[in-house]
Amino acid sequence: MTTKAQAVKREKIAGKAEVKPAPEKVIDTTRSAVPFDTGNIPGPKMAKAVMPAVPGKMLAKAKRPLLIVGSEVHDKNVLARAVAIGKTGIQIAAVGNSYTSLGNKGLDVHYANLHALASYLCDPEWKGLDGKGGYDLVVFFGITYYYASQAISALKNFSNIKVISIDKYYHPNADMSFGNLKDDVFLAALDEVIKELPKR
Amino acid sequence: MTTKAQAVKREKIAGKAEVKPAPEKVIDTTRSAVPFDTGNIPGPKMAKAVMPAVPGKMLAKAKRPLLIVGSEVHDKNVLARAVAIGKTGIQIAAVGNSYTSLGNKGLDVHYANLHALASYLCDPEWKGLDGKGGYDLVVFFGITYYYASQAISALKNFSNIKVISIDKYYHPNADMSFGNLKDDVFLAALDEVIKELPKR
Amino acid sequence: MIVKKGSFVIEGLENVQINIGKIGAEQEQAVEGPTPRPEVISLRNWDYRILDRYNPVYTPTSDICDYCTYGKCDLTGNKEGACGIDLEGQSARQALMISVMGAACHSAHGRHLLHYLIKKYGEDHLIDVGPSNLKAPLTETIMGIQPQTIGDFLPVLDYIEEQLTQLMAAANTGQEGSSRDFESKALHAGMLDLLGMEVADIIQISCMGLPKSDEKTPMAEIGMGILDPKKPVVICVGHNIAAPAYILDNMDRNGQFDKIEIAGLCCTAHDMTRYNRNAKIIGSMSKELKYIRSGIPDVLVTDEQCVRADILKEAKKLHIPVIATNEKITYGLPDRSNDSVDAIIDDLVSGKQDGALLLDLEKVGELVPKLAMKMGPIRKAKGLTALPNEEEFKKLVAKCTKCLQCTRDCPQSLPIGDAMAAAAGGDLVPFEILHDKCVGCGRCDYSCPVDIPVLNVIEKAAQRVIREEKGKMRIGRGQIGDPEIREEGRNLVLGTTPGVLAFVGCGNYPDGTKDVYDIVEEMIQRSYIIISSGCAAMDIGMYKDKEGKTLYERYPGRFIKGNLLNTGSCVSNAHIAATTIKVASIFAGRKTKGNWEEIADYVLNRVGAVGIAWGAYSQKAFAIATGCNRLGIPVVAGPHGTKYRRAFIGKPYRKEDWNVLDGRDGSVVNVEPAPEHLMITAETKEELMPLLAKLCFRPSDNSLGRAIKLTHYIELSEKYLKKMPEDWHVYVRSEQDLPVAKREQLMKLLEERGWKIDWEKKKITEGPLRKVDVSFQPTNVPRLCKEAKK
Amino acid sequence: MIVKKGSFVIEGLENVQINIGKIGAEQEQAVEGPTPRPEVISLRNWDYRILDRYNPVYTPTSDICDYCTYGKCDLTGNKEGACGIDLEGQSARQALMISVMGAACHSAHGRHLLHYLIKKYGEDHLIDVGPSNLKAPLTETIMGIQPQTIGDFLPVLDYIEEQLTQLMAAANTGQEGSSRDFESKALHAGMLDLLGMEVADIIQISCMGLPKSDEKTPMAEIGMGILDPKKPVVICVGHNIAAPAYILDNMDRNGQFDKIEIAGLCCTAHDMTRYNRNAKIIGSMSKELKYIRSGIPDVLVTDEQCVRADILKEAKKLHIPVIATNEKITYGLPDRSNDSVDAIIDDLVSGKQDGALLLDLEKVGELVPKLAMKMGPIRKAKGLTALPNEEEFKKLVAKCTKCLQCTRDCPQSLPIGDAMAAAAGGDLVPFEILHDKCVGCGRCDYSCPVDIPVLNVIEKAAQRVIREEKGKMRIGRGQIGDPEIREEGRNLVLGTTPGVLAFVGCGNYPDGTKDVYDIVEEMIQRSYIIISSGCAAMDIGMYKDKEGKTLYERYPGRFIKGNLLNTGSCVSNAHIAATTIKVASIFAGRKTKGNWEEIADYVLNRVGAVGIAWGAYSQKAFAIATGCNRLGIPVVAGPHGTKYRRAFIGKPYRKEDWNVLDGRDGSVVNVEPAPEHLMITAETKEELMPLLAKLCFRPSDNSLGRAIKLTHYIELSEKYLKKMPEDWHVYVRSEQDLPVAKREQLMKLLEERGWKIDWEKKKITEGPLRKVDVSFQPTNVPRLCKEAKK
Ligand code: SF4
Ligand code: SF4
Ligand code: SF4
Ligand code: SF4
Ligand code: SF4
Ligand code: SF4
Ligand code: SF4
Ligand code: SF4
């Protein structure tokens, strides 16, 4: 999985396979903070590259955060982290085909179409996926790069919601993002995000 | 002159006025390396922000460098630096109305229209302002910001010539540039560039 | 004296011109609706109805505007630029521009064809599209006229061009300021696009003997592996049949079909096979660079649209002469239209010139086969190809540093480095998979810091699968004839055919061409009617089942459930949209002439048709989609579709958005969100399929229809997303709407949701949004209500 | 029986229509050149001749393309995108798009006017433009016809719209691949733009009583200080006279000119004053936001073009109702065209609605004065304005942190922070200077982190100068009549009038509006003919000399050296270009009809005319410039012009580029680079002036002309750049070409350059590029040479 991993998009998680532990080395998620797709330069405002603790703390502090996860989540290692975040009680929007991996795991997970979701998120009247109220923070990973980038572009320009990418690609349209990460660093970064979250 | 200084564009240098000496403080010309005009984001390739010694050394090393100076050079302090560089024997293209200040100073200075000059510089057959051969390095300052930016855009995309901005604005289309500088830092930076040049 | 159409002047009365025309006939053509020849503003009320429910969603690719010299203006966060436009306005303006460009493309194509066909066949050449009274549904609905001859389309094109100029003008700096009105204008452009396509296809069908609503057109061969590369090979690239027709005629006359291989790339391929059964199809636009690099073509003929900009440059490297035949694409080539064929051939064969612009199509017809016969042997002898040989290949793949640069430049972010590594280890499968997903754009070639010609390496590695790339496509049939509509219309409107799915557009798929095959196979087995056109129609024919049969061979081509229809090239798209008009007219007796709003309202509320442009890349595809939207047809694009920057997405949670009127009395009725969106994207095919099923619901569906649609919606969601849809219940009005097999189970679920069930009577007593009402007449247009009419 | 033009049908012969038209007349209109109604490709050879010498220079604003969903593609360093286009191609494609947009704007404007005028005056309304036989020079040259009635322009607009659609199509992804051919197409669009403008202005002149080639039109008042703000104020914004004409007529009928102030902003202002002398002019587009914010307007009427996108939003804040009268700009306003005037007024006065879309122009005429009479007192009573009062002002300027953010967002990078500081210290002068340089775009308002409404502060600070802003402009005259050409043509062609300088375009000046005044004053004193139109024509009239006189008051308006002409609004630009055709036709007897290449060749080589678009911002200005370029007229823009991204710049050092043919025998002659560029920019006015003088040289100049042109070139360079030009000598062919006063001195300089001088005879014996040859016939078109004709 050195790339966007189309090959594994539809792989289902093999429940029994072992989840890779986070490597022990010190990581820096602010390097290579250039749009993963070379031409994806939106304008003067581009995401601040952050270390994992930042989104972790913001998630922990947010009143009503939403984790959005997409069709690149099926890799067992990545999925395990998504589940771990979900287990802390954070609501998940499973976009694309990610529900096939995220469903039936006891999470607060809702299928959503990302494009429609972006539209709803821009509507201050929207009451959320469960009708219980809007979101103040959106965090995402595991979504087809350009697709995520376009959806976030709507939020960036037409909403007041903070958007943080914890994906392995630098996402210029988010408010904060990791740089482009190697797989092992990516997993380690997710683990560091998880560390900041309150246990449930 | 805290801004682009339209106000002084046409001021002629008052020969007798004293030229400000460079301040003694340590300067960093790589800060605020964002396009001065907010919307001036050209694409993924943007100038590397450099300290003054870099262009200085490159100028000193270049086989046939060209200094391009424009209509914002008339401030006596800025002009003094342009003259100092010119005195080291580097050829100057006086674009816009800058010849009014740069002429008659014993420099190797030629009037040129910047737009035409950009076009000629993209032509590998061009023999230079004096017919003695093409240039391998172009360094500039004192040109209306957006005008310079557009001209350099031609060089960036359609020529192989290295382009360095030593202006007080960050120029994304150059290969290297200073960040956006305050006036005193700007003058000090020019002085540091000059330090690297061989005396004549 | 037989008076014929035409003009003449009476001697001595030089100022008097007598035109014999259809003045009488025109009187029969009473306009039936309020908006014949709608101006920019005429259908704005309808547009507002759409836009109020299906809100434009903007996903800018750039936060900066550089339209004028005040700029570049930073509009981040919806700030205003120097002209006062904000990012929303600018995004809507871009939507307008893209629609106008697309519409201009098809209309300019139609204009070119019409000039040429009138010159050849005369203005009075009759329209003949097959067994239909409603010959030109879009023309009737928009223009309010019923064209009889190809000359009748002249004012239609004049109208389109006038309107497009008005719209283009509105996009200038300092013009329209409202994003809503930019969208209304974009919808206008989309409608004009449908009209332009209809003109283009009807005239070529009528004059050039293309199939006329023929459900049983023969199969054409398709694929990169179908040609005999030992023969001289002529490849035509583009969309406009005019030039290839001359070549085909010439080859026919000279009996050269066994001597020369002739095939098309992109839509020209469609029309070549429609015109002459001996033509073959290489594939969609994605194959252009790949096929040229293979070195197989000996002559390239270009016309217009979807022709790569670097064709001349690429062809030149392999000494393949390029004959440009249309003034829209001239490549800087010398205009040889007035030179002798032999002189041109000499210059091309000798390599003195790389190609020629030849606007005299008769000469094109004469020259191309001749040139191919000369070039073929020369090029084959030299073995010209861009692909590396085995040894070079090994060296190249070994060079790769896995730097990811190519992946970052690749539109599909393909894992090229991994495939290089695998190939270095002798495993070519990753490259074979990559070949299917690769759109052949060539950007990777520019990326590689160690100068690996990446695309060539991919193609070399995929030779095994390429040789097997031999499919079949049912040749484009043209329109759906009135009789077929008459037969199927009721099923469609009542919902007993679950829906019409139109697979259209280009090959910029998110995950390879096979997706389209997989989706079509799934949906056709579920009895959806599948219509197709353009590159999508080609890609559907590229794959085979275990028995070696393509979908076209497995499923018949009638407009009836479980059939697979190919209308033809991109301009044949018009017929798909027009089919919904036919349903409204033939099945429901709606008046068409000049009656766009009523027709579109009918389609939106009653015709369960959905367009799928899974790989849409072009401005044209966007214009078509926008035109379909104005006609009330929802469209889904693949994830790349977000880069069109505007979608029309409904908000099911806003109840008030889903009020319609009951045409019987004008009363306001709250209905389910159906169709939920007008233009939206999905990330993967698994997400797409249940979405399609959902978008087929319409407020007018009866119980049987609802039950069928629900079945598929639920099953597809469970199959591909592993879940029951969260909103299936909104489409239920009574227990009759529940699929019989699952009725009990579903009623339990409804009870859990708080619905009241009378378990004895097996009846839902409380819960649904509204009751079943078989004669409900949903409409969004107040004036169409009986009450209002008084 | 008097047979009139028209159509009728004979009873019982319903299929026969008899048209009485100009069939006879048409026979007189023999096409004289090879390219009537040129298609996209027809003038490509001419374009190539231009492009080979004046190479397109691209200065991209973005290295990325996002035209289609394959993108965004990074094209940095001229890489190819996924469709095969490289950055050069993409830049050229943008040039095409900009030209097409501009041309569409003017043509759509013309179409709107023609519809309206034909409805009002009939197709047979005769063209009347003043004392000219050559009534429509561009129409003749391009279409090959001589229009007599306004209806004759119908096919002209059809032609333009058809061609624009073809060009727009060519800009799609997958179409044209050659940057050179994109430019040829852009030049075609530019030509169509000139044609569209001519149609628009001729029909309004002919039908609406605008001045007809009148050198002595009266003066109109201009400026932000001219209106009496105590009266109700109606302000019309845009370009299209149709709606304002109704308002003016209505006010005329009701004798309201002393009760209501009515004035225009942007080109509508030009045409309002041309239509009715009671109308006044506020100024160019730059004044829109400023004037609205002042709160003075009580009603705003918009039509089309150069209307800020935020007008409704801004007006709403100050309770100024907006009446939109054109379907191109509808602002999302409710369409009230079918409602009663009183009902609409009620809704607007009560504030129930912010504005209305009113496409029924008679209603506009009735409504607007009534509305103004109602709104005026209400609004004045409330003292509505956006400007801060004294106290607020002080607080605001004190808040500024000098953060520079506003400067970085300002198109002119104005030193706002400094002015704030000065104002805080009581010095308003920096703000007064700033007001002149500020284009009133409002971007600074969005920038300020401490929420200072920057533009309002500027305007408040500049109240003193604004009150004094009262200039005069000579009302637009329309065409230059044939008699004037007959008189002046020779001077122009021989060079004894140093040149025609056409000041056109918009107000995006690099350093304030006064530049234009300064430049015009300098050049008119040097006997150049100054023609003007559009916003530039307004800005020229805004400044006064010490005696309080504007340039229009100081200099007469005839087409003769040292005169200052205003043709009128933007569409009157056409007449400036057309003037060069008139020179070719009337003075030199060149055939015009369908003869573009020969005419353009004549202009390029012989007519010393230069366009100056010092503040050009719009797509229209670019299209006009590109059209002028195709006609052989060089254009210079201000530094913002580099953001158009393409220029046509000559390379004087490439000798071979400056070969022309001698029409007498077809021999190749190497000439001086004249004109040196076709489209270029300058950084400041000091750089501009000598450049203008230089660009007036033509290969055909005789000695007297050369001497005059050299005088100005040298003097201007010495005056403004403090140097002798480095290339003055290339324009010298003999000592006769040297200005008498400086002859000796210049000969010495030539000697220093290595020229041989016979000092006794005071003759140059060696040095010049070529000898004097009074009957030299420079041409770039081989077929125009006598030799070739054989
Ligand atoms: S069109 Fe408007 S937003 Fe775009 S560059 Fe021009 S002024 Fe700025
Ligand atoms: S040619 Fe294929 S692999 Fe290369 S960048 Fe394009 S899509 Fe990707
Ligand atoms: S760019 Fe070249 S070296 Fe880098 S991964 Fe791709 S093929 Fe390998
Ligand atoms: S479907 Fe798309 S790529 Fe194919 S021919 Fe049509 S527009 Fe071109
Ligand atoms: S038009 Fe070409 S360069 Fe532009 S985005 Fe599309 S593929 Fe890329
Ligand atoms: S309104 Fe004036 S000062 Fe403000 S940004 Fe625009 S031009 Fe600059
Ligand atoms: S942005 Fe505001 S605070 Fe900053 S310099 Fe401008 S006016 Fe002053
Ligand atoms: S000159 Fe420019 S700003 Fe003025 S009206 Fe014409 S196009 Fe608009």
Side-chain angles (χ1 to χ4, degrees), chain B residues 2-4 6 10 34-38 42-45 70-71 95-97 99-100 110-113 115-116 119-120 123 126 143-144 146-147 150 153-154 156-158, chain D residues 57-63 74 76-78 87 408-409 412-413 415 418 510-511 639-640 642 647 649-653 680-684 686-687 720-723 726:
Chain B
T2 55
T3 69
K4 282 191 212 165
Q6 260 91 350
R10 282 147 202 163
V34 292
F36 184 83
D37 278 357
T38 328
K45 194 183 163 203
S71 305
V95 302
N97 64 19
Y99 198 94
T100 56
H110 302 256
Y111 161 75
N113 173 290
H115 208 160
S119 156
Y120 307 160
D123 176 3
W126 186 47
I143 311 172
T144 304
Y146 58 86
Y147 193 51
Q150 289 305 104
S153 154
K156 173 190 190 179
N157 288 300
F158 307 112
Chain D
V57 178
Y58 299 111
T59 53
T61 52
S62 171
D63 309 334
D74 169 27
T76 310
N78 209 22
L87 188 56
R408 291 184 51 209
D409 274 335
Q412 315 305 350
S413 314
D418 290 354
D511 200 33
H640 284 294
T642 48
I649 293 182
K651 296 194 165 84
Y653 59 86
I680 194 166
T681 60
E683 190 180 5
T684 65
E686 294 83 2
E687 185 180 19
Y720 290 105
L721 294 180
K722 304 280 174 246
K723 75 187 298 289
E726 287 176 34

Side-chain angles (χ1 to χ4, degrees), chain D residues 400-406 416-417 420 447-450 452 454:
Chain D
C400 172
T401 62
K402 282 190 125 186
C403 72
L404 268 190
Q405 194 54 49
C406 50
I416 296 162
M420 292 272 178
S447 315
C448 187
V450 298
I452 302 174
V454 180

Side-chain angles (χ1 to χ4, degrees), chain C residues 70 173, chain D residues 106 238-239 265-268 270 283-286 288 305-307 504-508 533-538 569-571 573 615-621 624:
Chain C
Y70 281 129
T173 306
Chain D
H106 289 131
H239 275 64
L265 269 163
C266 234
C267 275
T268 289
H270 269 290
S284 68
M285 191 185 182
S286 311
E288 288 181 18
Q305 297 169 66
C306 296
V307 183
V504 299
C506 337
N508 193 18
S533 75
C535 286
M538 301 187 201
S569 56
C570 257
V571 287
N573 262 312
Y617 96 87
S618 73
Q619 291 88 341
K620 293 178 284 168
I624 296 171

